[in-house]
């Protein structure tokens, strides 16, 4: 029997969606399954460009259906629906991050277009999607990275209402094939933020020079150069501060996708790892008979379940966002930072069990172990996103506001607000609903109650021992505090989704035993920071807790893990 908490191609039926969405998701799974594991792995190893996959997507209208907002739609099934986008992210991650990456950078490339008032550019983008084209997001540069304040893509007015663009971009996915590249630059005749420009370029234009793929991969992460590239008024997407906001708001939309890609990678790897460990005999016993192996695989399983619960609930806040409800601005970097680093832990736990098997060239696991590392490092590092999360800590923990409860959002609606986010500032004023009722609803679950003690202790820390002005410049110390806060938010949305889905309490209890250990570990890390005060050191050790041990509960959770052995194996 398939585990209902994990994606399994054998039993996958996305019945929660409308008929066309179900058809496209199932068709995507069937295309990969029909391709087979040997071809999937060989394409990955040979770094083959994704032409066959993109031809399939074009034939089915996959990208056009999922990535055309209703305002630009050519038929009724086209909309920007974060719930079904998340489902497709998971499928792409399950079969290979290269496929997800071509889709992900298309999403980023579309962000400035769908935020633009340029109707000609919007119509052009919709037509290109309908033709099966991919897109690219020309933001980063070799010297400056994603520091958009320092862009060296220069636009010189041509005297006819347009510009001539000169400069290069680096780390630009799909830069080899994009029908439209959203490029960020600045005017040579205007200083400061009023000079920013986002414009649309075509990778096939003779003034667009593709330099190279900067990575050794099927992912085409390009360096390109524009030399005397003509930018007409019809190509300009945003100017001034609006161009700056479009860059940040596009990343807000796009970086959410990293969490569900990470989930898909971990799910496929888990089927392989548990099956291998269960079938391998060591010292006359299956590897899964050893207590340390059971603990590592069970920890990996419940961490993966937590990743899914958090991400699914975050979708609801994305889809319900508005100018008066910007809670998604916390949950977004959480999905990017916390869920993807959890993915690394899941892979590492399983790799400790399967050991040398994880290097073998005929396994999916070998590529999973490599690709899982990239997700925490894309769309801002873990440190950048932790620093962002800290901006919300005091309001979230200590200053809750009243909000109408957000329901599960699986409705076939267009998420229009994502392209109407407005100015990318004012994060410190964002308010949140009270986090405590989510924990209170599960006060009878021993490890939820134990973790709640730690969460309450963090509130005490913020109120009485928070970093002073001098410590606030010590990012090393602040990041340790950020990890503690992230755990409380992680637990909150997990509990909200557990309530909405009636999650098995054994699984929830086992998951929170892991979170209790994680909180204790980060508290000890804070204790050891060079600049931690005596009060902070005392607080840190006082926040350490031991999880509530229940062998019977752990045994029941292990049975779920053991049942994954043989539950799915990709056809050769």
């Amino acid at each position: 029997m398939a585990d209902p908490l994990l994606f399994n191609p054998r039993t996958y039926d996305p019945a929660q969606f409308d008929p066309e969405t179900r058809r496209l998701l199932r068709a995507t799974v069937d295309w990969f399954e029909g391709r087979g594991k040997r071809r999937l792995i060989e394409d990955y190893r040979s770094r083959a460009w994704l032409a066959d996959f993109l031809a399939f997507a074009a034939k089915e209208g996959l990208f056009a259906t999922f990535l055309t907002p209703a305002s630009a739609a050519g038929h009724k099934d086209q909309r920007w629906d974060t719930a079904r986008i998340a489902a497709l992210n998971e499928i792409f991650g399950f079969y290979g991050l290269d496929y997800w990456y071509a889709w992900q950078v298309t999403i980023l490339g579309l962000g400035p277009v769908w935020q633009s008032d340029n109707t000609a550019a919007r119509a052009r983008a919709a037509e290109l999607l309908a033709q099966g084209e991919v897109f690219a997001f020309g933001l980063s540069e070799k010297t400056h990275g994603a520091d958009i304040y320092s862009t060296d893509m220069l636009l010189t007015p041509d005297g006819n209402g347009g510009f001539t663009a000169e400069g290069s971009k680096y780390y630009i996915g799909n830069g080899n094939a994009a029908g439209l590249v959203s490029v960020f630059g600045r005017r040579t005749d205007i200083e400061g933020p009023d000079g920013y420009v986002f414009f649309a370029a075509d990778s096939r234009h003779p003034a667009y020079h593709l330099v190279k793929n900067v990575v050794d991969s099927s992912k085409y992460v390009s360096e390109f150069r524009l030399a005397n590239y003509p930018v007409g008024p019809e190509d300009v997407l945003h100017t001034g501060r609006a161009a700056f906001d479009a860059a940040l708001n596009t990343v807000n939309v796009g970086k959410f996708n990293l969490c569900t890609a990470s989930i898909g990678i971990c799910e496929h790897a888990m089927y392989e790892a548990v099956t291998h460990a269960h079938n391998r005999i060591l010292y006359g016993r299956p590897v899964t008979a050893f207590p340390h192996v059971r603990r590592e695989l069970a920890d990996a399983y419940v961490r993966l379940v937590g990743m899914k619960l958090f991400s699914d609930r975050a979708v609801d806040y994305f889809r319900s966002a508005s100018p008066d409800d910007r809670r998604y601005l916390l949950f977004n970097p959480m999905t990017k930072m916390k869920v993807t680093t959890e993915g690394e832990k899941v892979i590492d736990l399983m790799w400790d069990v399967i050991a040398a098997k994880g290097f073998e060239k005929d396994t999916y696991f070998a590529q999973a172990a490599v690709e899982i590392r990239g997700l925490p490092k894309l769309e801002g590092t873990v440190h950048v996103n932790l620093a962002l999360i800290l901006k919300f800590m005091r309001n979230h923990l200590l200053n809750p506001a009243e909000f109408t409860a957000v329901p599960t959002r699986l409705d076939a609606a267009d998420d229009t607000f994502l392209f109407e986010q407005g100015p990318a500032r004012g994060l410190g004023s964002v308010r949140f609903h009270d986090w405590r009722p989510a924990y209170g609803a599960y006060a009878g679950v021993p490890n939820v109650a134990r973790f709640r003690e730690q969460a309450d202790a963090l509130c005490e820390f913020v109120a009485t021992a928070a970093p002073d002005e001098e410590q606030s410049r010590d990012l090393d110390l602040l990041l340790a505090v950020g990890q503690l806060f992230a755990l409380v938010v992680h637990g909150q949305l997990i509990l909200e989704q557990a309530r909405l889905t009636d999650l098995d309490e054994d699984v929830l209890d086992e998951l929170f035993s892991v979170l209790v250990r994680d909180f204790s570990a980060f508290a000890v890390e804070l204790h050891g920071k060079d600049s931690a005060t005596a009060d902070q050191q005392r607080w840190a050790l006082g926040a350490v807790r031991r999880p509530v041990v229940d062998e019977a509960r752990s045994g029941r959770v292990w049975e779920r893990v053991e049942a994954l052995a043989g539950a799915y194996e990709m056809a050769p």
Side-chain angles (χ1 to χ4, degrees):
M1 180 177 173
D3 189 315
L5 298 177
L6 301 187
F7 169 73
N8 185 333
R10 290 181 179 174
T11 57
Y12 184 59
D13 177 18
Q16 68 272 33
F17 295 117
D18 62 275
E20 180 62 6
T21 299
R22 291 202 301 273
R23 186 192 73 78
L24 284 170
L25 291 173
R26 189 64 242 185
T28 303
V29 171
D30 291 343
W31 184 83
F32 281 112
E33 289 293 319
R35 203 164 179 76
K37 186 174 184 179
R38 188 176 297 112
R39 178 70 182 274
L40 193 81
I41 292 171
E42 183 55 35
D43 284 351
Y44 177 78
R45 291 178 59 234
S46 65
R47 304 159 185 82
W49 174 240
L50 312 173
D52 289 352
F53 165 68
L54 294 177
F56 155 77
K59 175 178 174 290
E60 295 290 346
L62 182 62
F63 287 18
T65 301
F66 277 52
L67 301 182
T68 308
S71 60
H75 62 76
K76 66 179 179 63
D77 292 308
Q78 291 182 338
R79 64 182 185 275
W80 195 284
D81 175 338
T82 304
R84 67 179 186 174
I85 286 173
L88 193 54
N89 285 328
E90 185 176 1
I91 291 169
F92 286 154
F94 190 91
Y95 291 107
L97 202 64
D98 291 346
Y99 306 98
W100 170 86
Y101 185 74
W103 146 271
Q104 162 70 356
V105 291
T106 291
I107 287 173
L108 292 171
L110 286 165
V113 179
W114 297 143
Q115 293 176 67
S116 176
D117 293 329
N118 184 330
T119 55
R122 289 169 60 88
R124 181 171 144 210
E127 178 59 28
L128 288 168
L129 275 172
Q131 295 169 7
E133 297 283 356
V134 293
F135 290 67
F137 186 52
L139 186 68
S140 296
E141 297 178 11
K142 188 171 185 178
T143 304
H144 308 296
D147 177 7
I148 55 182
Y149 294 99
S150 305
T151 179
D152 287 331
M153 176 63 71
L154 302 179
L155 290 92
T156 303
D158 63 7
N160 298 311
F163 304 92
T164 300
E166 195 84 26
S168 63
K169 293 289 180 178
Y170 202 78
Y171 297 130
I172 311 304
N174 289 353
N176 61 318
L180 188 154
V181 186
S182 297
V183 183
F184 186 83
R186 59 184 172 91
R187 298 174 58 155
T188 57
D189 60 330
I190 298 177
E191 292 294 324
D194 289 340
Y196 294 135
V197 179
F198 241 125
F199 63 96
D202 184 348
S203 70
R204 298 168 183 83
H205 194 283
Y208 179 106
H209 302 282
L210 185 65
V211 179
K212 62 180 178 179
N213 186 355
V214 305
V215 299
D216 188 18
S217 169
S218 295
K219 304 177 199 67
Y220 205 105
V221 187
S222 71
E223 177 184 7
F224 71 79
R225 180 170 51 85
L226 301 185
N228 203 31
Y229 187 99
V231 180
E234 70 279 5
D235 299 319
V236 176
L237 302 173
H238 302 274
T239 59
R241 176 75 197 197
F244 180 91
D245 290 337
L248 296 184
N249 290 339
T250 294
V251 173
N252 280 343
V253 174
K255 72 182 179 184
F256 178 80
N257 299 311
L258 280 73
C259 65
T260 33
S262 180
I263 288 164
I265 291 172
C266 291
E267 286 171 320
H268 197 156
M270 179 159 279
Y271 287 120
E272 274 197 346
V274 175
T275 300
H276 168 72
H278 188 67
N279 291 336
R280 178 160 184 152
I281 305 301
L282 194 63
Y283 305 119
R285 292 189 292 170
V287 167
T288 48
F290 294 92
H292 68 289
V293 167
R294 291 189 173 193
R295 180 190 60 77
E296 288 179 315
L297 292 179
D299 279 4
Y301 173 79
V302 295
R303 284 188 188 276
L304 176 53
V305 169
M307 292 163 66
K308 294 199 73 166
L309 293 168
F310 184 93
S311 301
D312 286 349
R313 185 57 175 151
V315 165
D316 301 334
Y317 288 98
F318 254 68
R319 303 198 71 197
S320 301
S322 71
D324 300 319
D325 182 357
R326 298 201 296 161
R327 288 174 285 179
Y328 74 103
L329 290 174
L330 167 59
F331 303 140
N332 190 22
M334 278 290 303
T335 56
K336 186 265 170 272
M337 181 282 298
K338 187 62 182 174
V339 175
T340 61
T341 53
E342 284 292 286
E344 285 191 291
K345 292 175 184 175
V346 168
I347 294 295
D348 286 343
L349 285 163
M350 294 188 294
W351 205 353
D352 280 346
V353 171
I354 67 171
K357 185 72 177 178
F359 293 99
E360 292 185 11
K361 66 181 182 180
D362 61 350
T363 65
Y364 174 85
F365 197 99
Q367 73 183 68
V370 173
E371 300 296 346
I372 200 72
R373 310 294 169 202
L375 292 166
K377 300 166 183 64
L378 296 173
E379 326 306 354
T381 64
V382 168
H383 309 105
V384 166
N385 281 278
L386 262 177
L388 177 58
I389 286 165
L390 279 166
K391 295 178 183 292
F392 304 104
M393 182 169 68
R394 183 170 289 273
N395 267 355
H396 182 277
L397 291 178
L398 303 180
N399 191 23
E402 290 292 327
F403 285 92
T404 302
V406 169
T408 299
R409 291 295 309 276
L410 295 171
D411 48 305
D414 196 55
D415 298 342
T416 56
F417 176 73
L418 295 181
F419 303 108
E420 301 169 358
Q421 295 177 59
R425 54 180 179 264
L427 302 186
S429 64
V430 175
R431 300 288 296 280
F432 301 88
H433 60 295
D434 194 344
W435 57 272
R436 293 169 182 82
Y439 284 86
Y442 284 100
V445 176
N447 281 302
V448 175
R450 186 63 51 87
F451 186 82
R452 170 67 188 271
E453 295 173 15
Q454 295 176 307
D456 286 338
L458 183 61
C459 292
E460 178 192 351
F461 174 87
V462 173
T464 65
D468 58 24
E469 185 176 348
E470 182 177 348
Q471 286 181 312
S472 294
R473 293 189 289 272
D474 181 355
L475 189 57
D476 188 42
L477 177 85
L478 292 180
L479 292 178
V481 177
Q483 291 283 12
L484 294 167
F485 173 51
L487 279 167
V488 176
V489 180
H490 190 56
Q492 176 194 348
L493 262 61
I494 285 171
L495 291 168
E496 290 184 12
Q497 188 67 6
R499 177 63 64 186
L500 290 167
T501 58
D502 196 25
L503 181 72
D504 181 282
E505 289 195 2
D506 284 339
V507 174
L508 190 65
D509 201 9
E510 197 76 7
L511 169 57
F512 269 82
S513 75
V514 171
L515 299 187
V516 169
R517 281 189 266 131
D518 286 352
F519 195 100
S520 297
F522 285 125
V524 171
E525 182 180 333
L526 176 62
H527 174 270
K529 293 298 179 185
D530 292 351
S531 64
T533 66
D535 285 344
Q536 290 167 344
Q537 292 173 50
R538 279 191 293 272
W539 175 88
L541 294 184
V544 171
R545 294 289 187 278
R546 173 182 166 82
V548 178
V549 176
D550 183 335
E551 291 186 6
R553 176 202 70 219
S554 297
R556 291 190 294 270
V557 172
W558 170 248
E559 289 174 3
R560 297 179 70 114
V561 179
E562 192 173 33
L564 298 177
Y568 168 77
E569 185 171 357
M570 192 171 182

